[in-house]
Amino acid sequence: MQKPRTVLRRALALGLALYAIGLAFALASCGDSGGSSEEASPGVDAQDTPQDPEPGDALDTSRPAYRTSAECGRCHTAIYAEYIKSYHGRAMIDPLFRELSAEVNKEECIRCHAPVNLRDSGFQIPIARSELRDDAISCLSCHQNGGHVSGPFGGMEGAPCRPVQDPDQTDVVKMCFVCHNQHDTGNEWLAGPYSPEAPEPRQRDAQTCIDCHMPVVERPLVKGGPVRKSHRHTWFGGHSRTQLEKAAAVDVEVGALPDGGHRFRIYVTNKGAGHSIPTDARHRSFDTYLLLRDTQGKVILDPTDPQQQDRAHLAKFRKFYRGSGKKDTQIPPLVRTSTRGEGLGYLDVPEASSGTGEAWLVYRLTPRDVLNKRSLTAGTAHDIKKLWLARVIVRVEFTYGP
Ligand code: HEC
Ligand code: HEC
Ligand code: HEC
Ligand code: HEC
Ligand code: HEC
């Protein structure tokens, strides 16, 4: 098991390495998708950028009618309201991103955090935009199709944004894998029980990234328009407590030791994620911790006490940084496990003869996230903004002994 201090040192070392080695390291840490050896094209230059059409202008369909997400949001108000709070909308202001990209001074990081539209890069690793970077992963990044916007419906060609129907829009391999397969999230899904290609008999109905991260909602797409089958543009993931709760279940096995005391083993089941947990960004981890009380209710093992935290930490589930020499210990879909190699998954406590306890599942966005008393109440339903604080996602109570 890692001591928090070692983890901290490692994180600091990583920070230094990031600044020092720049591009090479950047590729290894985040932007290392297949095809990344291709040189980025310079992106859209200023002359190619779309202009807002003026009334009376000849209709120029070589460029989109609108350029920024805020402009799209003038009509698509509900979708925009979701989008602007999402981590796609925030991909250039996310404080963690700003820190690790040296305040966005790493050109290499821009391609996925503020890309030109996916169709222009042939749904391969995206190309960095040269302008409007604050617009992050914009509506046009995912929807622009030449001078048109692509959508799933069709039959709306008269609308001011010049929509066209395009089956690629609902193809997650094209729409999501380009950025989300560099750490195998896409492959994990394809190989798992939710994949459309999972072997018969299926354990689960097929579900795509869109089904779980852009759930259906009946609503008009524009004010006064007809009600349609729309999709939430929220992309709740690791920053959402509700989403994390959907992902994992916890249970505990207690056994008496031959010479007194008990062995406590905490199991985690990936019950609801379409890929491993955690997935994607390598900073993230799930950890199990054990809290014990005696029969009087006095806490005898406290995960929030810095002196006892290492002992109370039973296992870590994580995709480690490259070069760490560590084997990945994430939990694949539907698997129940107490450890995948990092930590024993159980603790023998000779002094614990009878009492009550709690098993905690803790989620960290970064290795620096500290577990303390505030971790118990951290984060509202859909936004865990607080940095450097670990969050207790699941708590399971149990009793032990006579
Ligand atoms: C190939 C595309 C790609 C490139 C290039 C890329 N990223 Fe990312 N980045 C992603 C994706 C996808 C996520 C979301 C992963 C997740 O949520 O687990 C992400 C998430 C992050 C996060 C986590 C944000 C959070 O709040 O948890 C940080 C930090 C980050 N990237 C930093 C960087 C830095 C620094 C660079 C340049 C060295 C970079 N990225 C380059 C695709 C990319
Ligand atoms: C001036 C208003 C307006 C603006 C601005 C606007 N749209 Fe639209 N959009 C519409 C209308 C109207 C429809 C058709 C709605 C309907 O029939 O339900 C539509 C439909 C769509 C569709 C569905 C197309 C389909 O066939 O599935 C997409 C996608 C879309 N817009 C994206 C965008 C994007 C991206 C932007 C910004 C670049 C944008 N829109 C800007 C009015 C607008
Ligand atoms: C252009 C690259 C790109 C594309 C395309 C893309 N994403 Fe992302 N996605 C990102 C980045 C970058 C982040 C992290 C932003 C940050 O926090 O800094 C992210 C974050 C997320 C998150 C995590 C939010 C959280 O709470 O941490 C989910 C879930 C997600 N994306 C799902 C999807 C799905 C589903 C699709 C396909 C419809 C998709 N993404 C397409 C780049 C992309
Ligand atoms: C990360 C990629 C991504 C971004 C960013 C994005 N969309 Fe979408 N959008 C999609 C996908 C994928 C669908 C298709 C969902 C389906 O039908 O399965 C979609 C569907 C739509 C539709 C059709 C109706 C619906 O809700 O399914 C509209 C309209 C739309 N988007 C508008 C917007 C606007 C406006 C923005 C910016 C405020 C935006 N989108 C940002 C990926 C994206
Ligand atoms: C069966 C539902 C389901 C499917 C299918 C699914 N996800 Fe997830 N996803 C989840 C849940 C639940 C979580 C929260 C657990 C977590 O954060 O690890 C999550 C978390 C994430 C995160 C946050 C990373 C993290 O570990 O915190 C990203 C990024 C993501 N999903 C992207 C995708 C992409 C891309 C696809 C398609 C290849 C996809 N998801 C398919 C349910 C699903």
Side-chain angles (χ1 to χ4, degrees):
M1 222 167 302
Q2 299 183 341
K3 293 200 176 66
R5 199 158 280 166
T6 329
V7 176
L8 178 65
R9 228 180 281 130
R10 221 168 259 149
L12 287 173
L14 174 89
L16 290 176
L18 269 170
Y19 293 117
I21 312 172
L23 179 83
F25 194 87
L27 287 170
S29 79
C30 199
D32 52 358
S33 164
S36 60
S37 57
E38 290 164 34
E39 269 307 297
S41 94
V44 188
D45 70 41
Q47 284 170 325
D48 285 344
T49 53
Q51 301 295 322
D52 228 0
E54 297 287 335
D57 270 7
L59 196 64
D60 178 357
T61 49
S62 68
R63 48 190 58 172
Y66 307 98
R67 305 165 73 199
T68 64
S69 301
E71 286 177 70
C72 311
R74 291 204 308 248
C75 299
H76 299 290
T77 45
I79 289 180
Y80 180 73
E82 291 167 353
Y83 159 86
I84 198 63
K85 284 191 266 163
S86 79
Y87 279 83
H88 288 151
R90 284 191 205 157
M92 292 291 277
I93 53 167
D94 180 346
L96 203 55
F97 173 71
R98 296 198 74 91
E99 178 173 313
L100 292 182
S101 61
E103 290 302 320
V104 201
N105 269 321
K106 287 216 188 75
E107 195 53 28
E108 179 50 30
C109 309
I110 308 299
R111 46 171 59 203
C112 298
H113 288 251
V116 305
N117 81 78
L118 302 177
R119 289 168 181 85
D120 274 3
S121 42
F123 296 106
Q124 300 302 310
I125 180 142
I127 299 165
R129 269 203 311 276
S130 60
E131 50 126 47
L132 296 176
R133 287 187 168 177
D134 293 345
D135 225 19
I137 301 167
S138 68
C139 311
L140 285 180
S141 298
C142 293
H143 285 285
Q144 185 186 343
N145 189 341
H148 301 269
V149 295
S150 283
F153 295 105
M156 299 176 181
E157 282 72 13
C161 50
R162 302 197 289 260
V164 288
Q165 189 179 25
D166 179 359
D168 288 347
Q169 193 65 36
T170 55
D171 180 343
V172 295
V173 175
K174 290 190 165 142
M175 294 303 303
C176 313
F177 278 40
V178 281
C179 303
H180 285 282
N181 206 24
Q182 57 167 342
H183 298 133
D184 286 333
T185 300
N187 293 338
E188 288 164 6
W189 169 72
L190 273 181
Y194 301 90
S195 162
E197 283 136 44
E200 297 289 339
R202 299 191 64 95
Q203 293 173 282
R204 286 288 185 280
D205 290 341
Q207 277 184 287
T208 68
C209 319
I210 294 178
D211 294 326
C212 292
H213 291 290
M214 300 181 71
V216 169
V217 50
E218 299 279 335
R219 62 182 172 190
L221 306 184
V222 292
K223 201 163 169 250
V227 171
R228 301 197 190 264
K229 185 180 157 195
S230 177
H231 293 80
R232 296 251 184 238
H233 281 56
T234 44
W235 299 283
F236 292 137
H239 289 82
S240 155
R241 175 172 284 274
T242 359
Q243 191 78 315
L244 291 166
E245 284 168 357
K246 271 188 209 157
V250 171
D251 64 285
V252 187
E253 245 174 45
V254 183
L257 295 171
D259 301 319
H262 288 90
R263 170 172 292 185
F264 303 89
R265 192 187 283 276
I266 302 178
Y267 286 93
V268 184
T269 305
N270 178 347
K271 65 168 179 172
H275 34 69
S276 297
I277 53 167
T279 190
D280 220 329
R282 290 172 182 267
H283 327 266
R284 302 176 170 191
S285 71
F286 282 96
D287 295 88
T288 51
Y289 286 88
L290 179 69
L291 179 145
L292 291 176
R293 297 183 203 90
D294 64 15
T295 36
Q296 271 74 54
K298 182 173 165 276
V299 176
I300 56 169
L301 182 65
D302 180 359
T304 63
D305 176 348
Q307 305 303 314
Q308 301 179 50
Q309 197 160 85
D310 263 6
R311 187 171 179 230
H313 186 193
L314 303 199
K316 180 174 285 294
F317 303 100
R318 180 176 168 198
K319 197 172 184 87
F320 292 96
Y321 293 127
R322 281 199 183 77
S324 68
K326 284 168 176 271
K327 149 182 176 299
D328 295 338
T329 56
Q330 304 153 281
I331 311 174
L334 306 185
V335 166
R336 172 180 179 264
T337 181
S338 60
T339 180
R340 309 266 299 164
E342 185 76 5
L344 288 173
Y346 68 81
L347 184 68
D348 290 341
V349 188
E351 67 272 28
S353 48
S354 78
T356 61
E358 290 177 20
W360 291 2
L361 182 67
V362 169
Y363 181 75
R364 286 185 166 88
L365 280 168
T366 84
R368 276 157 73 182
D369 293 3
V370 174
L371 178 65
N372 62 30
K373 294 239 175 335
R374 286 186 303 138
S375 301
L376 289 163
T377 50
T380 56
H382 283 309
D383 206 357
I384 294 176
K385 277 214 203 87
K386 191 123 194 91
L387 283 184
W388 323 132
L389 182 62
R391 299 139 201 110
V392 179
I393 301 298
V394 187
R395 272 166 97 169
V396 172
E397 298 186 14
F398 60 89
T399 59
Y400 63 92

